[in-house]
Amino acid sequence: MPKVVYRKFDGSLHWNYETRLLGEDDHGIWVGADSGTVVHRGPRRTGPVEAPHVLLFPRQAWWTACFNAAPHRTEIYCDITTVPHWVDETEVTMIDLDLDVRRRRTGAIELLDEDEFAAHQVKYSYPADVIAEAQASADWLFGAVTQRIEPFGQKYLEWLELVQ
């Protein structure tokens, strides 16, 4: 049962919760969470998730992706992060760099939290290379999610079936 641990740039705990290892493919390592999974934001419980979902942790990319089952209004939610690091088989961790790409179930695609990204560049003194990687990842993800380039087309559905 891998624990997913997102942190902020200062090391503080952000999103964190237990998942189930599903497997891996050319896109990375997949984990899943059933509806009712307890999620924490920092140390505080935010409640159970409303729908099953799977998370993808690519091996060398500066992002993670969450794929939600219907009826969740968000189909895909990608966090721009540092490259996910597997501490061991029980924990994956990364630094959340604020920017997000979301595809609603309606097909609408949005780049989110640009204001938070700008504010945190100052607050946390993001290095120039981190800023450049985050922006490049956000640009690439926006295009890949829009064009439904795998794994943002149909591929994730195979993994999502394992948690529904």
Side-chain angles (χ1 to χ4, degrees):
M1 300 269 303
K3 184 168 187 176
V4 173
V5 179
Y6 287 85
R7 294 189 178 277
K8 285 304 203 178
F9 200 78
D10 66 353
S12 61
L13 190 59
H14 192 41
W15 295 109
N16 61 101
Y17 58 104
E18 297 287 333
T19 61
R20 181 166 39 111
L21 181 63
L22 301 176
E24 64 182 288
D25 63 13
D26 293 343
H27 302 290
I29 299 172
W30 296 82
V31 302
D34 302 312
S35 60
T37 297
V38 175
V39 175
H40 293 85
R41 185 170 189 170
R44 189 182 50 192
R45 178 183 170 146
T46 61
V49 296
E50 64 183 87
H53 65 275
V54 294
L55 295 156
L56 171 61
F57 299 104
R59 290 175 194 82
Q60 296 299 319
W62 284 61
W63 54 268
T64 65
C66 177
F67 303 88
N68 295 298
H72 198 291
R73 292 178 305 158
T74 297
E75 181 181 4
I76 300 172
Y77 197 95
C78 300
D79 287 286
I80 307 306
T81 68
T82 56
V83 175
H85 169 70
W86 286 87
V87 177
D88 56 33
E89 62 275 351
T90 65
E91 183 176 317
V92 61
T93 188
M94 69 278 340
I95 304 298
D96 184 317
L97 296 171
D98 316 309
L99 292 172
D100 306 297
V101 174
R102 173 173 61 192
R103 182 166 78 206
R104 294 283 194 177
R105 203 148 303 278
T106 62
I109 298 161
E110 305 161 287
L111 177 63
L112 305 171
D113 299 331
E114 292 175 282
D115 54 341
E116 184 180 3
F117 180 61
H120 284 176
Q121 287 177 50
V122 175
K123 179 179 180 178
Y124 296 128
S125 301
Y126 288 173
D129 62 325
V130 169
I131 294 168
E133 288 285 356
Q135 290 174 325
S137 291
D139 291 344
W140 181 86
L141 273 169
F142 193 88
V145 170
T146 299
Q147 297 170 34
R148 297 179 183 259
I149 295 170
E150 295 298 358
F152 307 107
Q154 299 292 313
K155 182 66 178 175
Y156 74 91
L157 295 171
E158 299 169 20
W159 295 101
L160 197 51
E161 285 180 20
L162 300 175
V163 293
Q164 291 189 18

